[in-house]
mmCIF file of all heavy atoms in Angstrom:
data_model
loop_
_atom_site.group_PDB
_atom_site.id
_atom_site.type_symbol
_atom_site.label_atom_id
_atom_site.label_comp_id
_atom_site.label_asym_id
_atom_site.label_seq_id
_atom_site.Cartn_x
_atom_site.Cartn_y
_atom_site.Cartn_z
ATOM 1 N N GLN A 40 14.406 -17.754 21.823
ATOM 2 C CA GLN A 40 13.010 -17.921 22.243
ATOM 3 C C GLN A 40 12.377 -16.566 22.552
ATOM 4 O O GLN A 40 11.238 -16.295 22.173
ATOM 5 C CB GLN A 40 12.928 -18.845 23.468
ATOM 6 C CG GLN A 40 11.534 -19.102 23.968
ATOM 7 C CD GLN A 40 10.701 -19.926 23.011
ATOM 8 O OE1 GLN A 40 11.230 -20.687 22.218
ATOM 9 N NE2 GLN A 40 9.397 -19.778 23.091
ATOM 10 N N LEU A 41 13.143 -15.685 23.218
ATOM 11 C CA LEU A 41 12.625 -14.345 23.521
ATOM 12 C C LEU A 41 12.349 -13.555 22.235
ATOM 13 O O LEU A 41 11.323 -12.881 22.116
ATOM 14 C CB LEU A 41 13.617 -13.581 24.402
ATOM 15 C CG LEU A 41 13.744 -14.065 25.851
ATOM 16 C CD1 LEU A 41 14.838 -13.274 26.574
ATOM 17 C CD2 LEU A 41 12.430 -13.941 26.587
ATOM 18 N N LYS A 42 13.282 -13.633 21.267
ATOM 19 C CA LYS A 42 13.087 -12.947 19.991
ATOM 20 C C LYS A 42 11.857 -13.465 19.264
ATOM 21 O O LYS A 42 11.068 -12.697 18.709
ATOM 22 C CB LYS A 42 14.313 -13.115 19.092
ATOM 23 C CG LYS A 42 15.504 -12.301 19.501
ATOM 24 C CD LYS A 42 16.660 -12.557 18.549
ATOM 25 C CE LYS A 42 17.937 -11.906 19.015
ATOM 26 N NZ LYS A 42 19.080 -12.228 18.146
ATOM 27 N N LEU A 43 11.693 -14.779 19.264
ATOM 28 C CA LEU A 43 10.537 -15.367 18.587
ATOM 29 C C LEU A 43 9.226 -14.950 19.258
ATOM 30 O O LEU A 43 8.241 -14.650 18.575
ATOM 31 C CB LEU A 43 10.669 -16.884 18.540
ATOM 32 C CG LEU A 43 11.764 -17.432 17.621
ATOM 33 C CD1 LEU A 43 11.892 -18.944 17.776
ATOM 34 C CD2 LEU A 43 11.487 -17.073 16.177
ATOM 35 N N ASN A 44 9.215 -14.926 20.585
ATOM 36 C CA ASN A 44 8.007 -14.486 21.292
ATOM 37 C C ASN A 44 7.689 -13.026 20.977
ATOM 38 O O ASN A 44 6.524 -12.657 20.806
ATOM 39 C CB ASN A 44 8.171 -14.676 22.801
ATOM 40 C CG ASN A 44 8.093 -16.138 23.210
ATOM 41 O OD1 ASN A 44 7.576 -16.970 22.477
ATOM 42 N ND2 ASN A 44 8.632 -16.454 24.366
ATOM 43 N N LYS A 45 8.727 -12.192 20.881
ATOM 44 C CA LYS A 45 8.526 -10.793 20.546
ATOM 45 C C LYS A 45 7.981 -10.661 19.125
ATOM 46 O O LYS A 45 7.051 -9.893 18.870
ATOM 47 C CB LYS A 45 9.854 -10.043 20.678
ATOM 48 C CG LYS A 45 9.747 -8.563 20.563
ATOM 49 C CD LYS A 45 11.098 -7.903 20.824
ATOM 50 C CE LYS A 45 11.011 -6.405 20.712
ATOM 51 N NZ LYS A 45 12.305 -5.761 20.980
ATOM 52 N N ASN A 46 8.536 -11.435 18.181
ATOM 53 C CA ASN A 46 8.038 -11.421 16.803
ATOM 54 C C ASN A 46 6.595 -11.890 16.719
ATOM 55 O O ASN A 46 5.801 -11.346 15.950
ATOM 56 C CB ASN A 46 8.923 -12.280 15.897
ATOM 57 C CG ASN A 46 10.218 -11.587 15.522
ATOM 58 O OD1 ASN A 46 10.328 -10.386 15.638
ATOM 59 N ND2 ASN A 46 11.188 -12.365 15.077
ATOM 60 N N ILE A 47 6.262 -12.886 17.492
ATOM 61 C CA ILE A 47 4.883 -13.392 17.504
ATOM 62 C C ILE A 47 3.933 -12.302 17.992
ATOM 63 O O ILE A 47 2.859 -12.093 17.417
ATOM 64 C CB ILE A 47 4.775 -14.672 18.362
ATOM 65 C CG1 ILE A 47 5.447 -15.840 17.641
ATOM 66 C CG2 ILE A 47 3.320 -15.009 18.680
ATOM 67 C CD1 ILE A 47 5.572 -17.104 18.471
ATOM 68 N N ALA A 48 4.336 -11.578 19.032
ATOM 69 C CA ALA A 48 3.484 -10.499 19.552
ATOM 70 C C ALA A 48 3.296 -9.416 18.491
ATOM 71 O O ALA A 48 2.178 -8.915 18.295
ATOM 72 C CB ALA A 48 4.104 -9.912 20.817
ATOM 73 N N ILE A 49 4.369 -9.057 17.809
ATOM 74 C CA ILE A 49 4.280 -8.044 16.747
ATOM 75 C C ILE A 49 3.375 -8.536 15.620
ATOM 76 O O ILE A 49 2.533 -7.791 15.108
ATOM 77 C CB ILE A 49 5.690 -7.687 16.223
ATOM 78 C CG1 ILE A 49 6.477 -6.934 17.291
ATOM 79 C CG2 ILE A 49 5.605 -6.871 14.945
ATOM 80 C CD1 ILE A 49 7.955 -6.766 16.963
ATOM 81 N N GLN A 50 3.537 -9.785 15.227
ATOM 82 C CA GLN A 50 2.717 -10.346 14.146
ATOM 83 C C GLN A 50 1.240 -10.423 14.549
ATOM 84 O O GLN A 50 0.359 -10.200 13.721
ATOM 85 C CB GLN A 50 3.235 -11.733 13.739
ATOM 86 C CG GLN A 50 4.612 -11.715 13.108
ATOM 87 C CD GLN A 50 4.651 -10.935 11.822
ATOM 88 O OE1 GLN A 50 3.688 -10.872 11.080
ATOM 89 N NE2 GLN A 50 5.782 -10.311 11.560
ATOM 90 N N LYS A 51 0.971 -10.724 15.821
ATOM 91 C CA LYS A 51 -0.418 -10.752 16.281
ATOM 92 C C LYS A 51 -1.036 -9.357 16.224
ATOM 93 O O LYS A 51 -2.192 -9.204 15.838
ATOM 94 C CB LYS A 51 -0.501 -11.311 17.704
ATOM 95 C CG LYS A 51 -0.355 -12.805 17.772
ATOM 96 C CD LYS A 51 -0.509 -13.318 19.196
ATOM 97 C CE LYS A 51 -0.381 -14.824 19.247
ATOM 98 N NZ LYS A 51 -0.510 -15.348 20.617
ATOM 99 N N THR A 52 -0.252 -8.355 16.592
ATOM 100 C CA THR A 52 -0.736 -6.976 16.523
ATOM 101 C C THR A 52 -1.026 -6.590 15.075
ATOM 102 O O THR A 52 -2.075 -6.006 14.767
ATOM 103 C CB THR A 52 0.315 -6.016 17.121
ATOM 104 O OG1 THR A 52 0.617 -6.425 18.444
ATOM 105 C CG2 THR A 52 -0.187 -4.590 17.125
ATOM 106 N N THR A 53 -0.105 -6.934 14.185
ATOM 107 C CA THR A 53 -0.294 -6.650 12.762
ATOM 108 C C THR A 53 -1.526 -7.375 12.226
ATOM 109 O O THR A 53 -2.314 -6.802 11.473
ATOM 110 C CB THR A 53 0.962 -7.066 11.965
ATOM 111 O OG1 THR A 53 2.099 -6.398 12.499
ATOM 112 C CG2 THR A 53 0.813 -6.721 10.496
ATOM 113 N N LEU A 54 -1.692 -8.621 12.613
ATOM 114 C CA LEU A 54 -2.846 -9.398 12.172
ATOM 115 C C LEU A 54 -4.150 -8.759 12.632
ATOM 116 O O LEU A 54 -5.093 -8.634 11.845
ATOM 117 C CB LEU A 54 -2.750 -10.836 12.690
ATOM 118 C CG LEU A 54 -3.941 -11.736 12.386
ATOM 119 C CD1 LEU A 54 -4.083 -11.946 10.884
ATOM 120 C CD2 LEU A 54 -3.791 -13.066 13.101
ATOM 121 N N SER A 55 -4.204 -8.322 13.887
ATOM 122 C CA SER A 55 -5.449 -7.715 14.372
ATOM 123 C C SER A 55 -5.744 -6.410 13.628
ATOM 124 O O SER A 55 -6.898 -6.134 13.293
ATOM 125 C CB SER A 55 -5.382 -7.482 15.881
ATOM 126 O OG SER A 55 -4.426 -6.503 16.191
ATOM 127 N N LYS A 56 -4.693 -5.610 13.342
ATOM 128 C CA LYS A 56 -4.898 -4.382 12.574
ATOM 129 C C LYS A 56 -5.402 -4.705 11.173
ATOM 130 O O LYS A 56 -6.313 -4.051 10.661
ATOM 131 C CB LYS A 56 -3.594 -3.589 12.477
ATOM 132 C CG LYS A 56 -3.183 -2.900 13.750
ATOM 133 C CD LYS A 56 -1.869 -2.160 13.559
ATOM 134 C CE LYS A 56 -1.371 -1.547 14.840
ATOM 135 N NZ LYS A 56 -0.063 -0.889 14.667
ATOM 136 N N MET A 57 -4.805 -5.706 10.543
ATOM 137 C CA MET A 57 -5.213 -6.076 9.188
ATOM 138 C C MET A 57 -6.634 -6.615 9.161
ATOM 139 O O MET A 57 -7.372 -6.366 8.210
ATOM 140 C CB MET A 57 -4.221 -7.077 8.599
ATOM 141 C CG MET A 57 -2.861 -6.463 8.322
ATOM 142 S SD MET A 57 -1.686 -7.637 7.696
ATOM 143 C CE MET A 57 -2.212 -7.736 5.998
ATOM 144 N N GLN A 58 -7.024 -7.350 10.197
ATOM 145 C CA GLN A 58 -8.391 -7.858 10.245
ATOM 146 C C GLN A 58 -9.388 -6.708 10.378
ATOM 147 O O GLN A 58 -10.438 -6.713 9.724
ATOM 148 C CB GLN A 58 -8.548 -8.835 11.410
ATOM 149 C CG GLN A 58 -7.883 -10.164 11.151
ATOM 150 C CD GLN A 58 -7.883 -11.081 12.365
ATOM 151 O OE1 GLN A 58 -7.962 -10.637 13.502
ATOM 152 N NE2 GLN A 58 -7.767 -12.386 12.112
ATOM 153 N N LYS A 59 -9.047 -5.698 11.191
ATOM 154 C CA LYS A 59 -9.921 -4.527 11.318
ATOM 155 C C LYS A 59 -10.011 -3.788 9.988
ATOM 156 O O LYS A 59 -11.091 -3.369 9.573
ATOM 157 C CB LYS A 59 -9.393 -3.591 12.406
ATOM 158 C CG LYS A 59 -9.560 -4.116 13.802
ATOM 159 C CD LYS A 59 -8.942 -3.184 14.824
ATOM 160 C CE LYS A 59 -8.991 -3.785 16.221
ATOM 161 N NZ LYS A 59 -8.302 -2.927 17.207
ATOM 162 N N GLN A 60 -8.872 -3.639 9.316
ATOM 163 C CA GLN A 60 -8.862 -2.957 8.025
ATOM 164 C C GLN A 60 -9.644 -3.748 6.984
ATOM 165 O O GLN A 60 -10.322 -3.169 6.134
ATOM 166 C CB GLN A 60 -7.430 -2.720 7.561
ATOM 167 C CG GLN A 60 -6.693 -1.687 8.383
ATOM 168 C CD GLN A 60 -5.220 -1.580 8.035
ATOM 169 O OE1 GLN A 60 -4.684 -2.392 7.296
ATOM 170 N NE2 GLN A 60 -4.561 -0.573 8.586
ATOM 171 N N SER A 61 -9.565 -5.063 7.050
ATOM 172 C CA SER A 61 -10.313 -5.906 6.121
ATOM 173 C C SER A 61 -11.815 -5.698 6.300
ATOM 174 O O SER A 61 -12.560 -5.601 5.320
ATOM 175 C CB SER A 61 -9.941 -7.373 6.344
ATOM 176 O OG SER A 61 -10.753 -8.210 5.582
ATOM 177 N N ILE A 62 -12.239 -5.608 7.535
ATOM 178 C CA ILE A 62 -13.660 -5.371 7.813
ATOM 179 C C ILE A 62 -14.076 -4.011 7.259
ATOM 180 O O ILE A 62 -15.125 -3.883 6.621
ATOM 181 C CB ILE A 62 -13.940 -5.464 9.331
ATOM 182 C CG1 ILE A 62 -13.770 -6.918 9.801
ATOM 183 C CG2 ILE A 62 -15.324 -4.939 9.673
ATOM 184 C CD1 ILE A 62 -13.768 -7.082 11.300
ATOM 185 N N GLU A 63 -13.222 -2.983 7.467
ATOM 186 C CA GLU A 63 -13.526 -1.650 6.939
ATOM 187 C C GLU A 63 -13.589 -1.666 5.414
ATOM 188 O O GLU A 63 -14.472 -1.039 4.821
ATOM 189 C CB GLU A 63 -12.463 -0.652 7.399
ATOM 190 C CG GLU A 63 -12.527 -0.317 8.863
ATOM 191 C CD GLU A 63 -11.421 0.629 9.293
ATOM 192 O OE1 GLU A 63 -10.869 1.332 8.430
ATOM 193 O OE2 GLU A 63 -11.122 0.662 10.494
ATOM 194 N N ILE A 64 -12.667 -2.376 4.788
ATOM 195 C CA ILE A 64 -12.656 -2.454 3.319
ATOM 196 C C ILE A 64 -13.926 -3.120 2.813
ATOM 197 O O ILE A 64 -14.539 -2.651 1.854
ATOM 198 C CB ILE A 64 -11.399 -3.201 2.831
ATOM 199 C CG1 ILE A 64 -10.157 -2.341 3.047
ATOM 200 C CG2 ILE A 64 -11.525 -3.592 1.367
ATOM 201 C CD1 ILE A 64 -8.855 -3.065 2.823
ATOM 202 N N LYS A 65 -14.332 -4.197 3.462
ATOM 203 C CA LYS A 65 -15.560 -4.884 3.044
ATOM 204 C C LYS A 65 -16.771 -3.974 3.199
ATOM 205 O O LYS A 65 -17.653 -3.963 2.334
ATOM 206 C CB LYS A 65 -15.742 -6.171 3.839
ATOM 207 C CG LYS A 65 -14.762 -7.255 3.435
ATOM 208 C CD LYS A 65 -14.904 -8.500 4.278
ATOM 209 C CE LYS A 65 -13.848 -9.521 3.891
ATOM 210 N NZ LYS A 65 -13.874 -10.694 4.766
ATOM 211 N N GLN A 66 -16.813 -3.202 4.285
ATOM 212 C CA GLN A 66 -17.927 -2.270 4.474
ATOM 213 C C GLN A 66 -17.924 -1.192 3.401
ATOM 214 O O GLN A 66 -18.977 -0.839 2.865
ATOM 215 C CB GLN A 66 -17.848 -1.631 5.863
ATOM 216 C CG GLN A 66 -18.166 -2.588 6.989
ATOM 217 C CD GLN A 66 -17.912 -1.984 8.364
ATOM 218 O OE1 GLN A 66 -17.258 -0.963 8.491
ATOM 219 N NE2 GLN A 66 -18.435 -2.640 9.393
ATOM 220 N N LEU A 67 -16.739 -0.675 3.078
ATOM 221 C CA LEU A 67 -16.642 0.349 2.035
ATOM 222 C C LEU A 67 -17.025 -0.209 0.668
ATOM 223 O O LEU A 67 -17.662 0.477 -0.134
ATOM 224 C CB LEU A 67 -15.228 0.937 1.991
ATOM 225 C CG LEU A 67 -14.848 1.820 3.181
ATOM 226 C CD1 LEU A 67 -13.382 2.194 3.119
ATOM 227 C CD2 LEU A 67 -15.727 3.055 3.223
ATOM 228 N N GLN A 68 -16.634 -1.464 0.400
ATOM 229 C CA GLN A 68 -17.012 -2.081 -0.863
ATOM 230 C C GLN A 68 -18.524 -2.256 -0.947
ATOM 231 O O GLN A 68 -19.113 -2.039 -2.011
ATOM 232 C CB GLN A 68 -16.318 -3.432 -1.030
ATOM 233 C CG GLN A 68 -14.856 -3.317 -1.367
ATOM 234 C CD GLN A 68 -14.153 -4.659 -1.403
ATOM 235 O OE1 GLN A 68 -14.604 -5.634 -0.812
ATOM 236 N NE2 GLN A 68 -13.014 -4.704 -2.082
ATOM 237 N N LYS A 69 -19.156 -2.628 0.153
ATOM 238 C CA LYS A 69 -20.614 -2.763 0.155
ATOM 239 C C LYS A 69 -21.276 -1.417 -0.090
ATOM 240 O O LYS A 69 -22.255 -1.325 -0.827
ATOM 241 C CB LYS A 69 -21.096 -3.345 1.486
ATOM 242 C CG LYS A 69 -20.819 -4.814 1.640
ATOM 243 C CD LYS A 69 -21.306 -5.324 2.976
ATOM 244 C CE LYS A 69 -20.946 -6.782 3.177
ATOM 245 N NZ LYS A 69 -21.352 -7.275 4.511
ATOM 246 N N GLN A 70 -20.731 -0.356 0.523
ATOM 247 C CA GLN A 70 -21.283 0.978 0.317
ATOM 248 C C GLN A 70 -21.111 1.416 -1.126
ATOM 249 O O GLN A 70 -21.992 2.020 -1.705
ATOM 250 C CB GLN A 70 -20.591 1.992 1.235
ATOM 251 C CG GLN A 70 -20.935 1.849 2.685
ATOM 252 C CD GLN A 70 -20.116 2.791 3.563
ATOM 253 O OE1 GLN A 70 -19.261 3.520 3.075
ATOM 254 N NE2 GLN A 70 -20.375 2.758 4.859
ATOM 255 N N ASN A 71 -19.949 1.098 -1.704
ATOM 256 C CA ASN A 71 -19.660 1.507 -3.075
ATOM 257 C C ASN A 71 -20.557 0.788 -4.071
ATOM 258 O O ASN A 71 -21.028 1.383 -5.015
ATOM 259 C CB ASN A 71 -18.180 1.246 -3.399
ATOM 260 C CG ASN A 71 -17.759 1.930 -4.679
ATOM 261 O OD1 ASN A 71 -18.352 2.909 -5.090
ATOM 262 N ND2 ASN A 71 -16.723 1.405 -5.297
ATOM 263 N N THR A 72 -20.811 -0.510 -3.847
ATOM 264 C CA THR A 72 -21.650 -1.255 -4.782
ATOM 265 C C THR A 72 -23.127 -0.914 -4.605
ATOM 266 O O THR A 72 -23.891 -1.038 -5.542
ATOM 267 C CB THR A 72 -21.466 -2.775 -4.619
ATOM 268 O OG1 THR A 72 -21.752 -3.138 -3.263
ATOM 269 C CG2 THR A 72 -20.058 -3.196 -4.982
ATOM 270 N N SER A 73 -23.509 -0.479 -3.402
ATOM 271 C CA SER A 73 -24.914 -0.158 -3.193
ATOM 272 C C SER A 73 -25.254 1.256 -3.656
ATOM 273 O O SER A 73 -26.415 1.601 -3.748
ATOM 274 C CB SER A 73 -25.280 -0.322 -1.712
ATOM 275 O OG SER A 73 -24.557 0.622 -0.933
ATOM 276 N N LYS A 74 -24.232 2.080 -3.937
ATOM 277 C CA LYS A 74 -24.472 3.446 -4.389
ATOM 278 C C LYS A 74 -24.937 3.420 -5.843
ATOM 279 O O LYS A 74 -24.250 2.899 -6.707
ATOM 280 C CB LYS A 74 -23.182 4.261 -4.255
ATOM 281 C CG LYS A 74 -23.347 5.730 -4.585
ATOM 282 C CD LYS A 74 -22.118 6.531 -4.248
ATOM 283 C CE LYS A 74 -20.977 6.184 -5.163
ATOM 284 N NZ LYS A 74 -19.824 7.073 -5.007
ATOM 285 N N PRO A 75 -26.100 3.963 -6.127
ATOM 286 C CA PRO A 75 -26.602 3.930 -7.504
ATOM 287 C C PRO A 75 -25.814 4.868 -8.413
ATOM 288 O O PRO A 75 -25.375 5.930 -7.994
ATOM 289 C CB PRO A 75 -28.049 4.393 -7.374
ATOM 290 C CG PRO A 75 -28.063 5.217 -6.129
ATOM 291 C CD PRO A 75 -27.013 4.619 -5.223
ATOM 292 N N VAL A 76 -25.607 4.454 -9.620
ATOM 293 C CA VAL A 76 -24.931 5.276 -10.622
ATOM 294 C C VAL A 76 -25.960 6.218 -11.215
ATOM 295 O O VAL A 76 -27.048 5.805 -11.608
ATOM 296 C CB VAL A 76 -24.304 4.384 -11.716
ATOM 297 C CG1 VAL A 76 -23.659 5.234 -12.791
ATOM 298 C CG2 VAL A 76 -23.303 3.436 -11.109
ATOM 299 N N THR A 77 -25.596 7.494 -11.262
ATOM 300 C CA THR A 77 -26.530 8.485 -11.781
ATOM 301 C C THR A 77 -26.424 8.538 -13.293
ATOM 302 O O THR A 77 -25.456 9.033 -13.846
ATOM 303 C CB THR A 77 -26.222 9.867 -11.186
ATOM 304 O OG1 THR A 77 -24.867 10.190 -11.498
ATOM 305 C CG2 THR A 77 -26.414 9.890 -9.690
#
Side-chain angles (χ1 to χ4, degrees):
Q40 181 68 25
L41 289 176
K42 286 179 188 176
L43 290 174
N44 287 340
K45 189 175 180 179
N46 283 342
I47 288 172
I49 291 169
Q50 294 298 328
K51 283 183 179 179
T52 304
T53 304
L54 176 64
S55 67
K56 287 179 184 177
M57 291 178 78
Q58 286 173 336
K59 289 176 186 176
Q60 290 173 351
S61 173
I62 291 169
E63 289 178 22
I64 289 170
K65 288 177 183 175
Q66 289 173 345
L67 290 173
Q68 286 175 338
K69 286 179 184 177
Q70 289 174 358
N71 193 24
T72 57
S73 64
K74 185 172 69 172
V76 177
T77 57

